[in-house]
Amino acid sequence: MSERLRITGGRVYDPRHAIDGAIRDICIEDGRVVAALPGDAPTLDAAGLVVMPGAVDIHSHVAGPKVNLARRLEPERRTVPTVPDTGRLYTLLGYTTVFDAAVPLLGARHAHLELQDTPLVDKGFYVLLGNDEFVLAALEDGSDDAVRDVLGWAVRASRAYGVKVVNPGGGAAWKAARGTPGLDDALPGRRVTPRRILTALARAADALALPHPMHLHCSNLGLAGNATTTLDTIAALEGRRVHLAHLQFHVYGGEPGGRPTSRARELSAALAAHANVSADVGQVMFGPATTMTADARVGEMLHDLTGRKWVDADLELEGGCGVVPYEYRERNVVHAMQWAAGLELLLLSPDPWRLVLSTDHPNGGTFLSYPRLLRLLMDRAYRDEQIARVHPQGLEGTALRDGLAREYSLYEVAIVTRAAPARLLGLEHKGHLGVGADADVALYAPDANLETMFTTPRHVLKAGRRVAEDGAIREETWGRTLQATPPFDPAVERALGRVLAEAGSLSLEDYVVGADEIGAAR
Amino acid sequence: MSEVRLTLRQAPSVALEAPCVRPDAFATLSEAAIARLPVEHGREVVALGEFFDVRGEHADQVRVEGDVRRVKRLGAGMIGGSLIVAGSAGRHTGAGMSGGSLVVEGDADDWTGLGMRGGRLVVHGNAAAAFCGAAPGSSRGMTGGLAFVRGSVGVRVGERLRRGVIAVGGSAGAYAGAHMVAGTLVVRGALGPGAGIGLKRGSIVAGGALELLPTFRYACRYRPGYVDLLFASLERHGFDVGAMAAGAFDRFGGDHADLGRGEILKWTAS
Amino acid sequence: MRRSTVDGQPSELDAAVAVAAGLLRAARQPLVYGLLDSTVEAQRAAVAVARRLGAILDTPASASHAGSFRAFERLGAALASRGEYRHAELAVFWACGSDASELAPRPGLARVSVDVGSARGPADADTRLALEPDQEIPALLALRAFARGRRVDAAQAGSLPVEALRSLARRLVSCGYGVVVCDADPAPARRDACRADALTALVRECHRKSRVRLSGLRRGSNPVGAENVLTWLTGFPASVRFGADGPRYGPGEFAAETLLQRGDVDAVLLVGVEPEAHLSNEAAAQLARVPCVALGAVEREGARVFLATSAFGATAGRVFRGDGVALRHAPPQSSDHPSEATVLARLAEALAS
Amino acid sequence: MTDGVPLERRGVAIRDTYAEAFGMRATRLVITAASPRWARIGADALTGFATSVIGCKVEAGVEAELGPSETPDGRPGVSVLLFAFDAAGLGQRVVERVGQTLLTCATAACFDGLPGGTERAPMGEGLRFFGDGFQSSKVIDGRRFWRVPVMEGEFLVEASVGVQRAIGGGNFLILAVDAAAALAAAEAAVDAMRRVRGVILPFPGGVVRSGSKVGARRYKKMVASTNDAYCPSLRGRVGVTSALPDGVHSTLEIVVNGLDRAAIEASLRAGIDAACRPGVVEISAGNYGGKLGKHLFPLHALFAEAAR
């Protein structure tokens, strides 16, 4: 028996199809949008409501070893929700697809265990490469084809959706000698440079035709002067496709070792000039946060700042990770600058299809602050009120001082939270409401307070099921795990096996996640 | 002067979670409304009135009678008023309280005054483990107020104390004042092993025997002025400082395994 | 083949599950205890049962690992997966052995054994340092003070081997890569509330100047799995009560040992554990008086309901290695009995109906 | 009221005029020490050279000697009052004076004597930096104290002091037949007034001989100059309208600052009463025609109220 539903009379925002608030019916059958339904199909009255595709989070941290360490680290404040709550809370905001941005090969099985227990949303992750022995050995001894095959194997073995590169080569260098190599510095004891890692992996991701390009966390995150690194990185990619993660953390001016300032304007211009580059913003929101990153250097830096808890972990043959509880404060000059830099990027954005929303949950703040972020973008008066509250020195030199007037429209919001992330991810059936799309839909009641509007959708549908209504879960369904299936030459396994035999504590088979290890646990 | 009196009618068969017993909350409630407040008896949520006879209403003076050793979280989070437990109280009594007066006339169980933020907490008998201690993971334990125990306390009294004063008439178990950040802990009797471990700042005033950790270093013998202020305050609140009213203190600075800006003042009669 | 039993009498599984569900439902405060020798799949299923029941959920780690939980929550940790230990130039075995081949004797690895009372490290260590039990915490603090560059007064040090500790601290802060190995599930006599904290703080301090990691040895088949599964499903690694407002954490408070001693549970579901190995005599005696449902490969005497399952060794599933790496557990032999996960799923269904 | 009705005590006329006083801000410090002697030494040093805001920006004096039961730390003590025109200025003076005279004074400690005051000025907050990072603080019963390590041991000083509205410049004049009679009467008055709490007599020995008028005739820069109307030697000088009756050959003034009106009234009443003795012709008061301040103390009213 097919399940049908007609959503009637709503104002539809579907940027992929250039629908900007037109009154349309959306017809759903068996979890997909269809062109039409028989007249007797059940209806959901959406008159007066805003209808959007379910939102897609392109960069979050929701599953895997470091996320779970963070949960255990903070029983007293719980910034990082449990796995069941992650699925529920995302859904209650109208998000129906979520990607974890950083899972090491060795943590893939663990990440899938958590994804199996994550209800409601569709989900997946990007596997970490670029500081590991597998890629470094291939780069040193082999050809670009070898790197491509390592990448193909890694995505298949970990059942990942894409590939994430964090501080290319820098993680390995930090681990070996706490060094921070420049783009053309050879890593300690190696002939490989960050530039080589970067370009080879970007090329490999393209060669394998992964649906999402290389997802890159640039070097020198959080450090004064890192805007130069980011600009150099964009130049080094020579027009190859790349997605820059949490761009806000990489746009700082100032002297190395000094107080960072914002160079968001320049990065915005660079984004305009490079159509091959997309990014998510990594907005900082005031309040509690938990920093968790495969960039272990950042963990150490933040621990030195806070002097409190810190999890610092090394992973054999790969990098490691750092977890540090954090708090962003309005009256802290650096935090104010970070907050402003994110808003600058969004308000100066040359193309909403290439700069999308994220808080790098929970690094810049939790995903629960998305509605507040949307209000900041859409409501200038509210934004000005907030601007008046933050440390004034933090705003010096930022475009916020110029009185940026831009207010995002509902149409643009639908782009940066839905249509664009889906397109950047190569998700053909997400982020729009055309025929054949997954019937993931969020319906909002307009409200003068846009934070209120986006905090509690009136209805959320997942694969055609009415899963949430007015802030309560109505039915707990189970989403899919999304994975890419690039080809690779099995011969690469011999080389990988050699690396493991020399320096690992597991066999190659131990790295391979089985088909039976994904999908709903129950 | 009106008062709300709760008398245990039926002993709970397993622990009863009763954080609803708060004098500040009772101030605005009728007798019937108080009796309807929810408590958790194991997995069941039942009305307070199922277990207690409730007499009185609209008062922030509350007296609890009967054997309530299995009743947990009495007065937890209270912000004002007065709560008297006529006998011994269960775990987590007065946890997180930020104001008012809480008196346990008998003994107090584990985690009494956990994360206390203000007000006055008095135990006439003994208190068990983690008196005025810290919640798991929290960087700070008690952050304000005055708490004292006429009898002895168990292990880890005043862990991660941040501000406020804790006084113990008898002895203290192991790791008294562990990881204190600031504040003052006074123990008239002997202290168990590991007193002041991880002390960052703050003071432990020790009236009885104690074995110092090697990471404390001797400074001098004197009688710092604040001690007399503190003792005068304690006496005003009804805590007897005994022989420490005179004499001097040996000051040991530490814990040098940590920040090391705290002190242990060890009393000496001379 | 072993049969499930009800009151000692053989029973079909479904009938026994129905009796178990009735027994647990009738309890005012049930306890689900164990999960130590269980696969991740069984651990998940046990959480689901506990959640449905409104039970308290606990594992033996609440007693054996309490100090480590506390230290992690206060300070965090400096960890490494086992393969990393091959970089080690210095291994300090703190009153324990090691089963990691990466820390076996080899050129370039200096191995130090710190022996505390009768708790001794590897017999073939290069250097040994002997401490009395009451010197253990003072020694850890002195090491940390030395690592910070502080002095220790002879008057307070008493009989501590100050020079040996100073020398060890120097080695820890100057090595290229060091591993401190400790017993993270110590026997009851060695459960000091502050030992893990002092070890963690020491490693953190040394790590400012060198690279040092703490490796805690675990006991049981899948203790790290239990912590991980409980954490991602409830937010907490053990001692969780499913109350009216969701899962609540109560280390000590919701630990099986004290719950039993205080008579605060009136039914127990045992999964993947031999409780007597982890409980005091007093608590075990109370356990014997409480209606009990036990899953396992070996019938439990005195249990009202025994649900026969495959042994851990014969159950396919996933487990976590001691260093936190998830692995597939592929048993050499298979079992005719259903797995714990399967039986728990049936129990959850029976509770729902 | 007793308008127009002559009033006299023990044969001394009390002129029907008023003492004119002005609003100030005041604080009270409680100084304790190992002995009454050292408490007094500290208090005398702290209140030294603090007679008039005209020349030293603060007026201060000893209020009372305190027994151990009256002090926060149970040691012998002295309470002093300090007066200035505003809270900020008062706070600066407190920090300067406590730093110079009590931080340095053997065994002394210094506490806020107005702990209920909602308006606050920093004391230990400013002085703690002498501790060079070795200082520490304690909060006891909601009050914060700084412990500043010193060579002797520790200097204990409360973090802040309460500040309240107060009145400065309450006064009366003793018009006597000669200088000896004026001085004897003034001494008697001071002894009586010092028994009243809440007031200080900031001038040397509690007495001021150089009563002043507001401004000057000849020197425009002077804010105050000699009170020529009461100078016996200027009687009959061109330009002087003497206020002295015949037979008066010497005048002394008593100035009193108080925490409130009632304290000043009690103090004036006690002082005038004691000053009414042989050799004194008349009691008058410094009346500036309302130019000085808004607080007026009619002398006759003091005694009318006492009679009630």
Side-chain angles (χ1 to χ4, degrees), chain C residues 137-182:
Chain C
I137 300 298
L140 284 167
L141 294 175
L143 278 169
R144 180 149 60 107
F146 289 137
R148 284 181 86 97
R150 305 270 177 100
R151 287 191 293 126
V152 168
D153 285 350
Q156 263 73 252
S159 59
L160 267 189
V162 171
E163 275 318 306
L165 293 169
R166 197 197 309 274
S167 153
L168 180 54
R170 201 178 301 129
R171 294 173 74 178
L172 278 165
V173 297
S174 59
C175 68
Y177 197 110
V179 182
V180 177
V181 187
C182 67

Side-chain angles (χ1 to χ4, degrees), chain A residues 91-317:
Chain A
T91 301
L92 289 172
L93 290 182
Y95 273 77
T96 48
T97 306
V98 179
F99 284 89
D100 187 285
V103 173
L105 274 167
L106 206 56
R109 174 168 287 109
H110 179 167
H112 279 298
L113 282 166
E114 292 193 23
L115 293 181
Q116 283 189 300
D117 284 338
T118 306
L120 294 154
V121 294
D122 290 341
K123 58 261 171 176
F125 65 73
Y126 318 135
V127 65
L128 280 161
L129 287 178
N131 288 297
D132 56 296
E133 285 295 323
F134 308 116
V135 165
L136 296 182
L139 278 171
E140 215 151 38
D141 307 328
S143 62
D144 279 8
D145 287 354
V147 174
R148 185 197 62 206
D149 286 326
V150 171
L151 181 57
W153 172 82
V155 169
R156 291 291 287 267
S158 62
R159 295 187 179 271
Y161 185 79
V163 60
K164 170 77 173 299
V165 180
V166 169
N167 184 10
W174 182 254
K175 212 163 126 177
R178 293 198 193 174
T180 48
L183 264 185
D184 295 307
D185 296 338
L187 306 187
R190 292 186 182 276
R191 285 171 280 127
V192 179
T193 64
R195 182 188 299 275
R196 178 96 168 85
I197 298 170
L198 203 61
T199 50
L201 282 168
R203 194 178 301 132
D206 278 351
L208 290 172
L210 290 178
H212 183 49
M214 175 172 75
H215 196 101
L216 176 65
H217 159 142
C218 290
S219 302
N220 296 336
L221 181 146
L223 296 184
N226 67 10
T228 306
T229 313
T230 310
L231 293 167
D232 289 350
T233 302
I234 291 172
L237 287 163
E238 296 173 341
R240 275 184 211 91
R241 287 203 313 153
V242 66
H243 180 85
L244 301 181
H246 37 69
L247 185 57
Q248 178 278 129
F249 287 110
H250 302 273
V251 299
Y252 304 150
E255 292 301 310
R259 178 156 69 79
T261 58
S262 167
R263 283 170 63 186
R265 283 181 230 245
E266 283 168 74
L267 266 298
S268 217
L271 211 51
H274 292 83
N276 59 310
V277 178
S278 65
D280 58 270
V281 67
Q283 178 67 35
V284 154
M285 299 296 283
F286 298 115
T290 302
T291 68
M292 52 175 74
T293 172
D295 202 344
R297 176 192 60 78
V298 175
E300 182 157 346
M301 176 177 87
L302 293 170
H303 172 255
D304 286 347
L305 279 178
T306 64
R308 294 204 180 148
K309 308 180 199 192
W310 175 30
V311 176
D312 183 36
D314 296 339
L315 218 50
E316 64 205 64
L317 303 172

Side-chain angles (χ1 to χ4, degrees), chain D residues 24 126 138 160 188 199 227 258 292 298 302 306:
Chain D
M24 297 188 89
K138 283 288 168 205
S160 67
V199 298
N227 196 356
L292 187 67
L302 293 172

Side-chain angles (χ1 to χ4, degrees), chain D residues 134-285:
Chain D
F134 299 105
Q135 71 274 19
S136 61
S137 78
K138 283 288 168 205
V139 178
I140 296 168
D141 280 338
R143 295 164 64 176
R144 181 180 294 277
F145 304 89
W146 283 98
R147 303 166 61 192
V148 182
V150 291
M151 297 190 299
E152 177 204 48
E154 280 175 8
F155 172 49
L156 186 66
V157 56
E158 191 148 0
S160 67
V161 289
V163 175
Q164 69 169 58
R165 285 178 186 280
I167 299 166
N171 67 80
F172 64 92
L173 300 169
I174 300 167
L175 282 53
V177 294
D178 57 24
L183 187 61
E187 286 175 348
V190 166
D191 287 348
M193 293 171 84
R194 286 212 161 127
R195 284 193 283 272
V196 177
R197 293 277 172 108
V199 298
I200 57 160
L201 312 178
F203 287 96
V207 184
V208 55
R209 67 176 180 176
S210 59
S212 60
K213 64 178 180 287
V214 176
R217 293 180 190 185
R218 181 154 186 178
Y219 308 113
K220 296 301 167 206
K221 284 183 182 166
M222 297 292 285
V223 287
S225 62
T226 192
N227 196 356
D228 47 67
Y230 287 87
C231 292
S233 62
L234 298 181
R235 194 186 266 137
R237 180 82 179 254
V238 172
V240 173
T241 310
S242 183
L244 299 177
D246 291 345
V248 171
H249 296 276
S250 184
T251 304
L252 287 174
E253 182 176 357
I254 312 277
V255 173
V256 54
N257 292 353
L259 293 179
D260 54 34
R261 190 173 174 87
I264 289 187
E265 284 172 349
S267 153
L268 289 174
R269 194 179 298 127
I272 291 169
D273 189 58
C276 292
R277 46 179 288 151
V280 176
V281 176
E282 188 180 322
I283 299 293
S284 183

Side-chain angles (χ1 to χ4, degrees), chain C residues 15-212:
Chain C
V17 163
V19 176
L23 184 157
L24 292 169
R25 250 197 310 242
R28 221 175 275 283
Q29 184 58 78
L31 166 70
V32 177
Y33 182 61
L35 317 190
L36 187 59
D37 299 314
S38 301
T39 61
V40 164
E41 288 77 1
Q43 289 164 343
R44 278 174 166 156
V47 175
V49 167
R51 187 188 296 274
R52 193 176 290 280
L53 268 176
I56 292 172
L57 178 60
D58 193 37
T59 76
S62 68
S64 64
H65 201 62
S68 296
F69 284 147
R70 181 192 304 276
F72 186 88
E73 288 156 3
R74 192 176 86 83
L75 295 170
L79 309 166
S81 75
R82 257 179 52 178
E84 283 292 281
Y85 301 166
R86 74 194 171 89
H87 300 302
E89 296 167 9
L90 174 66
V92 176
F93 299 92
W94 193 271
C96 68
S98 167
D99 56 359
S101 54
E102 293 84 356
L103 293 173
R106 61 172 158 81
L109 174 66
R111 298 163 87 243
V112 178
S113 177
V114 179
D115 303 331
V116 179
S118 60
R120 299 171 63 81
D124 54 356
D126 312 312
T127 314
R128 307 198 82 81
L129 177 59
L131 297 171
E132 296 302 319
D134 63 357
Q135 291 180 319
E136 184 175 18
I137 300 298
L140 284 167
L141 294 175
L143 278 169
R144 180 149 60 107
F146 289 137
R148 284 181 86 97
R150 305 270 177 100
R151 287 191 293 126
V152 168
D153 285 350
Q156 263 73 252
S159 59
L160 267 189
V162 171
E163 275 318 306
L165 293 169
R166 197 197 309 274
S167 153
L168 180 54
R170 201 178 301 129
R171 294 173 74 178
L172 278 165
V173 297
S174 59
C175 68
Y177 197 110
V179 182
V180 177
V181 187
C182 67
D183 187 347
D185 283 323
R190 289 187 40 75
R191 283 176 195 162
D192 185 292
C194 285
R195 181 194 297 108
D197 190 286
L199 279 161
T200 304
L202 170 63
V203 166
R204 160 84 42 93
E205 188 61 48
C206 296
H207 188 66
R208 287 174 191 274
K209 294 171 183 145
S210 56
R211 195 168 191 90
V212 183

